Amino acid sequence: TIEKSRFMTILHKAEDYLGFFAVFLLALLPAMEVVARVFKTSISHATPYTKHLLLFVAFVSGMITSRKKMHLSLSLQLNIKDHVKKRLHTAIMLLSVIMTTGFTWSALAVVFEAFSPSLKIGIFPIRLVGMIMVVGYAVMAVRFFNDTPKDRISRMLVGLGFVLGTFIAMSSIESAWGALFDNIPQFITSLSGAAESVNNAIGFPMVLLL
């Protein structure tokens, strides 16, 4: 619809401006710190702000490049038939969705398990800053899915990547749940054990596939 298209246009522009602003701050803070040292002073928390701005820029850039289909990749100009290219593209998108979905859950576990609620960078809770990893990977996963060929079989196959990515990240889900709540449901523990066995079996083949 027109309203949905307009909303997405606004959202994409906001995403671009956010990325530009983060890059601007990433350049500005070290420059201001150099000037401050000339006057025998310093900018409070400039170094940790700069380090975490770099993380922020990396994930916002990943979101933008996945939207524009400019993410880092290797390409071969092979003389193959269109239906083969379509199948290869579907397979690549499936793998991309699996990995970014798994990374989403892993990042969530890191945010809630590794950092206490009281830990801050300047005035910002580090958990809030770290959520850019969760949001970034989740957005990339959805955009890889949207880049799938539009036929039903391809969409269903790549959509399965969300389920598979969630399964292989069950240990991260278990960790995040344990950090947020007192009791971990038995089904999560069971799935986590099953996923660990599968991950041990497919680890080396997945490295070769990547």
Side-chain angles (χ1 to χ4, degrees), residues 154-165:
S154 296
R155 303 287 280 187
M156 289 178 62
L157 183 61
V158 176
L160 184 63
F162 292 109
V163 178
L164 296 175

Side-chain angles (χ1 to χ4, degrees), residues 60-134:
V60 173
S61 298
M63 292 162 58
I64 293 172
T65 53
S66 63
R67 185 186 82 223
K68 296 183 176 181
K69 301 178 180 60
M70 297 170 60
H71 44 273
L72 183 62
S73 64
L74 299 175
S75 63
L76 295 174
Q77 299 301 320
L78 300 177
N79 185 22
I80 56 180
K81 295 181 179 180
D82 289 341
H83 73 277
V84 177
K85 287 183 180 180
K86 179 181 176 181
R87 291 175 182 174
L88 285 173
H89 182 68
T90 299
I92 292 170
M93 291 303 101
L94 171 60
L95 182 60
S96 299
V97 169
I98 291 173
M99 300 305 293
T100 46
T101 300
F103 290 150
T104 299
W105 291 115
S106 297
L108 188 68
V110 168
V111 168
F112 286 106
E113 188 180 30
F115 307 112
S116 67
S118 60
L119 191 61
K120 293 185 176 181
I121 304 168
I123 62 173
F124 300 102
I126 196 166
R127 281 186 173 181
L128 179 62
V129 175
M131 284 300 292
I132 186 60
M133 297 187 293
V134 181

Side-chain angles (χ1 to χ4, degrees), residues 1-2 14 22 26 39-40 50 52 69 88 93 102 120 125 156 158 162 165 196 201:
T1 64
I2 296 177
L26 189 61
F39 296 96
K40 309 297 183 181
T50 301
H52 287 83
K69 301 178 180 60
L88 285 173
M93 291 303 101
K120 293 185 176 181
M156 289 178 62
V158 176
F162 292 109
E196 184 176 359

